[in-house]
Amino acid sequence: LGLNYIYKSMAIVDLAGALVGVRSLNIRGCSVSMPYKEAVLPLLDSLDNTAKEIGSVNTIVNNDGILHGYNTDVIGAQKVLYSLGIRCNDTILLLGAGGVSRAILFALREIGCRRVKVSNRNPEKLDYLNEIMQFEPIAWEKRSTVESDLIINATSIGMAPLIDYCPVETQAISLSNTVLDVVVSPFETRLIALARSM
């Protein structure tokens, strides 16, 4: 975009302190990754309507010390879902109930998908997702028995230190047509490697 900026990744342990640093150092903006996408909300001055509805932020813009939160995960999810040729009547199995899951669920709603099943290790977190759209809850123990057109892994399973793990058994992969994993490191997770091999 021709902007005179640098983009630097930083690991933090003090979220509130990091945002004080963003303000005091006049850092123009920052990305927010797991596990801070929800925890950052009360520390911001305002939220974009989409971020407010989803309850998750992945981008912060600093305008003269005023921090505005956005969620661009929705845009990314919609682009990927469209590129996969997802249709409204497809059955989707979404794994996870965190910030990325909420963004993906929002994107599925906007596309018009209505046959969505969601499974999470902590079933209590599923209640919050109902505010975005209605879905069929699936017990975590039953997730690998679900037949679907698309499996979406929106958990941290497959990311370090869980790189040797797969969020579903091979049976679930064989029952689906397409697999999408939001884990970006490693580049090819065990889930994707198994799907490719099948």
Side-chain angles (χ1 to χ4, degrees):
L1 295 174
L3 300 172
N4 185 22
Y5 294 136
I6 61 166
Y7 189 88
K8 180 164 177 44
S9 63
M10 305 177 88
I12 63 166
V13 291
D14 177 4
L15 180 59
L19 291 181
V20 168
V22 168
R23 289 181 210 267
S24 61
L25 295 172
N26 199 28
I27 294 172
R28 185 67 174 106
C30 55
S31 300
V32 182
S33 62
M34 289 190 279
Y36 300 116
K37 292 185 177 194
E38 300 154 65
V40 76
L41 296 177
L43 303 173
L44 301 176
D45 299 305
S46 67
L47 295 175
D48 173 70
N49 287 336
T50 302
K52 196 178 296 183
E53 185 171 353
I54 294 171
S56 170
V57 161
N58 75 332
T59 303
I60 299 171
V61 176
N62 178 4
N63 289 320
D64 298 321
I66 307 298
L67 303 183
H68 303 274
Y70 299 88
N71 191 306
T72 63
D73 284 334
V74 173
I75 299 165
Q78 284 176 327
K79 286 185 176 186
V80 170
L81 291 167
Y82 282 127
S83 74
L84 292 174
I86 297 304
R87 298 168 308 220
C88 297
N89 60 344
D90 284 348
T91 300
I92 315 293
L93 174 61
L94 175 61
L95 304 173
V100 174
S101 299
R102 290 201 284 275
I104 291 170
L105 199 62
F106 187 94
L108 289 167
R109 183 189 82 188
E110 296 300 296
I111 290 172
C113 295
R114 293 293 173 255
R115 297 173 61 187
V116 178
K117 302 177 182 196
V118 183
S119 186
N120 191 54
R121 289 168 283 187
N122 178 357
E124 293 174 9
K125 288 188 79 175
L126 293 178
D127 293 339
Y128 182 74
L129 295 179
N130 276 315
E131 296 175 12
I132 297 171
M133 74 174 277
Q134 295 299 307
F135 58 87
E136 180 184 343
I138 302 293
W140 186 250
E141 303 75 37
K142 304 282 187 189
R143 70 194 183 283
S144 291
T145 64
V146 174
E147 189 171 341
S148 64
D149 295 293
L150 170 65
I151 297 173
I152 303 174
N153 176 37
T155 73
S156 58
I157 298 172
M159 183 171 20
L162 304 172
I163 59 172
D164 294 326
Y165 293 88
C166 186
V168 290
E169 296 171 19
T170 53
Q171 172 189 353
I173 300 169
S174 66
L175 291 171
S176 71
N177 297 325
T178 309
V179 171
L180 172 62
D181 199 340
V182 304
V183 173
V184 295
S185 181
F187 181 72
E188 183 171 272
T189 60
R190 184 156 170 71
L191 172 63
I192 295 301
L194 284 169
R196 282 190 201 283
S197 71
M198 299 170 81

